[in-house]
């Protein structure tokens, strides 16, 4: 992985940073290099030193794998930038919850938390959510770690336990989340989620139900596909009904009346039963969120043993791309006025249809190499390409795998599509970037080039 490759020596690491920095300053969108000086130098330090991030210090170790391109995104908080499309989605959801769900005192039932630090502990991100120690979602190849104990959150669910423990029983959490992933128009290492949790007491859940005072939230039975071992069937069904009704109302608010919805059973470690919500949008079924009845062990551990609840999480980029016809996830980071001005509306519920910017021609280059004998993941290469190419890289496809019949060495061939969002790229500048990718793959990942 990148982290183990960095331990081959700081010389190669500084090489990558200086090479990438030179290319970025020469050819990248302004947003790449309009970052604080502290962030600029963070990634240049060898493992064993300290990363300064959001006013705190984090010692690096063999788990540290943050790149300076990702660090440059920390603190941008697109979801809090007025009139940004992600802000519009957040405000529409928040407005809906404020108006639809009001407490007994006349104030909104749901509190909103949209400025929590994206740096969390691994306990918050995984253990608090009952994610097993060996679960694949913990892999270094899929996450951005500051060190073995701290990371950039992979989901807003990382704050669930703390907010429940603080005594909250109805809240929304909105924030930027970070995952190492493939490169295409739908995926980006930084995206934004909106999370909601609601807990019910026995009185709240059974109020208005005939003979509700005789019903119970909990029992000791066996777990089935339909319920947890500690929940009564009556309580589980009411929580599930409230969850699905809440989400149906939300999606109808966002997409309009007549929306066709279906529920697909799925698995999450922190909810059971769990569902994915799909909507039929323009004749195509699209998955828009995950949800479920919260695992009672999680609720109990946070100190709310007398309550039962639901949770859901959705991606703001996913919803915005569907609602506004935004074709490429990179556009959310654009500072191009032609993009941003389209979302400056007087009313957050005003319909917006994105008018595409001019699409400039793509330049395509392939790269082939023999994999090193030590551990290698495709996300290592994708991260390296993002670090050097930044938002000039539209897509990376693994187009061929080959195993040598005699040496049993494996070769990968990737196709990299370069396209600037605002102008035509020249063959010369792409050639420089592609050559830097080739050299860095050899230096940092230990591959053997076939170029």
């Amino acid at each position: 992985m990148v982290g183990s490759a960095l331990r081959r020596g700081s010389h190669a690491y500084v090489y990558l940073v200086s090479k990438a920095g030179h290319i970025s300053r020469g050819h990248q969108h302004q947003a790449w290099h309009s970052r604080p000086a502290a962030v600029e130098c963070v990634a240049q330090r060898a493992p064993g030193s300290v990363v300064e991030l959001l006013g705190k210090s984090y010692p690096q170790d063999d788990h540290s794998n943050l790149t300076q391109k990702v660090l440059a995104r920390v603190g941008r908080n697109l979801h809090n930038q007025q009139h940004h499309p992600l802000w519009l989605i957040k405000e529409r959801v928040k407005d809906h919850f404020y108006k639809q769900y009001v407490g007994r005192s006349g104030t909104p039932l749901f509190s909103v938390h949209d400025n929590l630090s994206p740096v969390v502990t691994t306990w918050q991100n995984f253990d608090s959510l009952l994610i097993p120690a060996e679960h694949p979602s913990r892999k270094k190849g899929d996450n951005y770690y500051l060190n073995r104990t701290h990371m950039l959150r992979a989901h807003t669910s990382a704050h669930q336990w703390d907010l429940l423990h603080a005594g909250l029983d109805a809240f929304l959490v909105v924030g930027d989340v970070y995952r190492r992933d493939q490169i295409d128009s739908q995926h980006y290492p930084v995206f934004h989620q909106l999370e909601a949790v609601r807990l019910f007491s026995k009185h709240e859940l059974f109020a208005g139900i005939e003979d509700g005072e005789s019903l119970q939230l909990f029992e000791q039975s066996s777990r089935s596909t339909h319920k947890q071992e500690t929940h009564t069937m009556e309580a589980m069904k009411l929580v599930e009904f409230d969850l699905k009704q809440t989400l149906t109302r939300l999606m109808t608010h966002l997409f309009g009346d007549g929306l066709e919805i279906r529920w697909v059973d799925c698995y999450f470690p922190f909810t059971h039963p769990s569902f994915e919500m799909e909507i039929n949008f323009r004749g195509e079924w699209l998955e828009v969120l995950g949800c479920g009845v919260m695992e009672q062990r999680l609720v109990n551990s946070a100190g709310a043993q007398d309550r039962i609840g639901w949770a859901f999480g959705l991606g703001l980029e996913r919803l915005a791309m569907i609602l506004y016809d935004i074709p490429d996830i990179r556009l959310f980071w654009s500072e191009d006025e032609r993009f941003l001005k389209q979302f400056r509306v007087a009313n957050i519920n005003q319909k917006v249809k994105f008018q595409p910017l001019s699409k400039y021609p793509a330049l395509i280059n392939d790269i082939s190499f023999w994999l090193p004998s030590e551990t290698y993941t495709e996300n290592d290469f994708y991260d390296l390409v993002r670090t050097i190419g930044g938002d000039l890289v539209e897509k990376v496809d693994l187009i061929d795998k080959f195993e040598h019949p005699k040496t049993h060495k494996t070769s990968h061939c990737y196709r990299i599509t370069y396209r600037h969002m605002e102008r035509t790229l020249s063959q010369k500048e792409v050639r420089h970037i592609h050559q830097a990718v080739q050299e860095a793959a050899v230096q940092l990942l230990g591959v053997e080039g076939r170029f």
Side-chain angles (χ1 to χ4, degrees):
M1 293 184 182
V2 170
S4 60
L6 294 179
R7 293 195 297 275
R8 296 190 187 103
S10 60
H11 170 75
Y13 196 53
V14 173
Y15 159 82
L16 168 60
V17 172
S18 61
K19 188 86 172 179
H22 169 74
I23 291 167
S24 294
R25 285 187 292 273
H27 304 299
Q28 288 287 23
H29 187 285
Q30 185 179 359
W32 279 121
H33 51 84
S34 56
R35 54 181 179 266
V39 175
E40 177 78 24
C41 65
V42 156
Q44 298 187 39
R45 297 170 182 166
S49 60
V50 173
V51 170
E52 302 285 344
L53 186 60
L54 300 178
K56 294 187 178 181
S57 301
Y58 301 92
Q60 292 186 284
D61 58 26
D62 62 347
H63 234 58
S64 307
N65 66 351
L66 280 170
T67 66
Q68 68 172 2
K69 295 300 187 192
V70 170
L71 284 169
R73 297 306 198 206
V74 178
R76 286 284 300 276
N77 297 328
L78 300 183
H79 61 288
N80 287 337
Q81 293 182 16
Q82 192 170 17
H83 299 300
H84 191 279
L86 300 183
W87 175 86
L88 278 179
I89 297 287
K90 182 197 76 170
E91 290 299 308
R92 291 187 68 190
V93 174
K94 189 171 77 172
D95 181 65
H96 172 75
F97 272 86
Y98 276 0
K99 290 177 178 177
Q100 288 290 318
Y101 307 98
V102 179
R104 281 176 291 183
S105 62
T107 57
L109 180 65
F110 285 81
S111 57
V112 177
H113 309 266
D114 59 6
N115 202 29
L116 300 174
S117 172
V119 179
V120 297
T121 64
T122 52
W123 186 90
Q124 288 173 300
N125 200 79
F126 300 118
D127 301 270
S128 74
L129 296 166
L130 311 178
I131 297 173
E134 301 306 317
H135 196 274
S137 66
R138 292 178 179 253
K139 288 190 303 183
K140 183 177 168 184
D142 292 339
N143 299 284
Y144 287 105
Y145 286 92
L146 284 153
N147 51 41
R148 284 191 172 271
T149 60
H150 289 81
M151 63 187 296
L152 295 178
R153 62 189 169 209
H155 43 206
T156 47
S157 306
H159 303 287
Q160 263 188 30
W161 191 93
D162 291 319
L163 293 173
L164 291 172
H165 191 63
L168 301 180
D169 56 13
F171 54 83
L172 304 178
V173 180
V174 193
D176 44 337
V177 298
Y178 300 78
R179 294 182 195 170
R180 301 178 80 204
D181 212 333
Q182 64 201 79
I183 302 177
D184 59 33
S185 63
Q186 303 289 321
H187 295 86
Y188 203 80
V190 191
F191 58 104
H192 299 75
Q193 283 187 340
L194 184 147
E195 177 109 0
V197 166
R198 184 172 186 187
L199 299 185
F200 300 88
S201 66
K202 175 183 173 181
H203 172 74
E204 289 169 330
L205 189 63
F206 297 131
I209 303 295
E210 187 175 353
D211 297 325
E213 63 275 4
S214 66
L215 300 176
Q216 302 297 322
L217 295 178
F218 307 112
E219 66 179 12
Q220 285 302 320
S221 58
S222 58
R223 177 173 289 239
S224 70
T225 56
H226 302 294
K227 73 176 204 69
Q228 298 172 39
E229 61 273 19
T230 56
H231 294 163
T232 64
M233 184 63 77
E234 294 85 359
M236 189 284 300
K237 285 295 185 185
L238 284 171
V239 172
E240 180 184 333
F241 175 79
D242 188 86
L243 167 64
K244 291 181 176 179
Q245 186 179 57
T246 298
L247 290 172
T248 299
R249 286 174 179 161
L250 174 61
M251 289 301 136
T252 300
H253 169 69
L254 294 175
F255 288 91
D257 293 328
L259 186 68
E260 192 177 357
I261 291 171
R262 69 184 182 189
W263 304 93
V264 179
D265 293 339
C266 65
Y267 167 79
F268 300 114
F270 33 85
T271 55
H272 180 77
S274 302
F275 314 96
E276 288 179 342
M277 182 188 205
E278 295 184 350
I279 63 171
N280 192 335
F281 188 70
R282 296 176 182 168
E284 182 181 1
W285 284 102
L286 303 173
E287 184 263 311
V288 290
L289 59 84
C291 61
V293 178
M294 295 183 71
E295 280 285 354
Q296 196 60 37
R297 280 196 298 146
L298 190 165
V299 177
N300 291 351
S301 71
Q305 298 92 329
D306 61 339
R307 294 173 183 257
I308 183 175
W310 53 248
F312 74 79
L314 56 84
L316 294 183
E317 280 88 348
R318 175 76 167 156
L319 278 184
M321 292 176 83
I322 297 170
L323 274 169
Y324 302 140
D325 275 342
I326 297 174
D328 194 310
I329 197 168
R330 293 176 298 165
L331 280 165
F332 292 108
W333 296 93
S334 174
E335 295 183 350
D336 189 327
E337 185 63 18
R338 294 174 300 166
F339 173 74
L340 296 173
K341 70 180 182 181
Q342 298 188 42
F343 301 95
R344 295 194 186 107
V345 291
N347 183 339
I348 59 173
N349 292 310
Q350 181 177 326
K351 287 192 175 182
V352 178
K353 180 174 172 57
F354 171 64
Q355 299 300 316
L357 311 180
S358 300
K359 191 163 186 178
Y360 295 94
L363 294 175
I364 296 173
N365 285 264
D366 293 349
I367 178 172
S368 299
F369 47 75
W370 297 106
L371 304 189
S373 55
E374 62 184 86
T375 303
Y376 167 90
T377 70
E378 291 173 27
N379 281 346
D380 292 340
F381 180 67
Y382 298 147
D383 236 21
L384 183 146
V385 173
R386 284 195 191 277
T387 298
I388 295 177
D391 281 2
L392 299 187
V393 180
E394 179 177 87
K395 183 169 61 169
V396 178
D397 294 312
L398 176 60
I399 60 173
D400 186 55
K401 288 183 180 181
F402 168 73
E403 182 175 326
H404 195 285
K406 292 184 178 179
T407 66
H408 299 292
K409 292 173 68 175
T410 300
S411 169
H412 279 188
C413 180
Y414 295 89
R415 177 156 293 163
I416 304 178
T417 302
Y418 298 91
R419 191 196 309 268
H420 203 293
M421 306 293 286
E422 299 166 18
R423 63 176 175 83
T424 300
L425 287 171
S426 70
Q427 289 283 0
K428 182 179 179 180
E429 60 188 323
V430 168
R431 187 165 60 250
H432 283 306
I433 297 169
H434 197 71
Q435 182 180 353
V437 170
Q438 292 173 331
E439 294 174 7
V442 173
Q443 291 273 354
L444 296 184
L445 301 182
V447 305
E448 182 183 339
R450 300 182 67 191
F451 32 82

